[in-house]
Amino acid sequence: MKPVLIVKDLTVPVPSNGSHNLVSNCSFSIERGEILAIIGPNGAGKSSLIKAIEGSLKYKGTIDMPTISHLPKLRAKQLSVLPQQSALNFPFTVEEVVELGRIPHSTGKQRDIEIIRDALSMMDISYLSNRRYTELSGGEKQRVQLARVFCQIWEPDDQNQQRLLILDEPTSALDLGHQHHLMSAIKTFSNRGVAVIMVSHDINLATRYADSLLAMMCSEQLAYGTPKEVVTKSNMQRLFGLQVEILVSHESGQPVLIGA
């Protein structure tokens, strides 16, 4: 089966200065049901890479989604994006915000209601369904927005349809407990055959839940592979300029980063 996303030699120039790059020479691919986490310090080019993939930044190189439609209406049923900030100032209820994810579909009111309620339940926010979105905390809004992007690609229109979820720092506004709950929900969603690419500043969350990691430093790709291949002492010290120790989690078997 073809990968859902193939990126090869991707370079994203600075829009106002073509002699500098936001991203330089990145190459990777994502399979169905795989979570790829992009890690690295501030300014490494992580969000720029995401924006190039979802189409809001010009680039050089190859971004190929062989199983995702180029037609906007069909593409919206297969590709869903959660940016760092989702500006919404209308007094919609939480349920109405999540319902926005069903706009591309014609599955009928009853099925849409079932999907919306399932997405709310997955994010543990069913109790917020009738609250005004504008009255919520930042963390609550983040969970509502994730439920919305889940709804957009909740199920394929046909048996062979592939789906891709793009997330830019989805845990940034959440406390520790809700970070793990959100990542667990993303893992459950990916296990339904959805390819996920996400930016994460939390290395230990990334190693616990992601199948592969892409480490970026100074706009370039430093390492790409499994968590054990990427989260090494030498890579992490280069990435963050700190003395670190790498332990192994007894629960997950994955590396755990500790600042020395």
Side-chain angles (χ1 to χ4, degrees), residues 136-156:
L136 303 181
S137 69
E140 289 170 333
K141 288 179 179 178
Q142 189 78 337
R143 292 153 66 197
V144 171
Q145 290 295 341
L146 190 64
R148 175 184 62 80
V149 296
F150 278 175
C151 272
Q152 186 176 330
I153 56 171
W154 187 261
E155 57 190 3

Side-chain angles (χ1 to χ4, degrees), residues 4 32 64 66 69 76 85 124 130 136 138 141 149 167 188 191 195 204 207 215 221-223 230 248 254:
V4 179
R32 174 180 178 172
D64 186 16
S69 176
Q85 295 182 345
D124 193 27
N130 294 318
L136 303 181
K141 288 179 179 178
V149 296
L167 307 171
T188 298
N191 287 339
N204 294 331
T207 60
Q221 181 173 318
L222 174 68
V230 173
V248 176
Q254 296 295 347

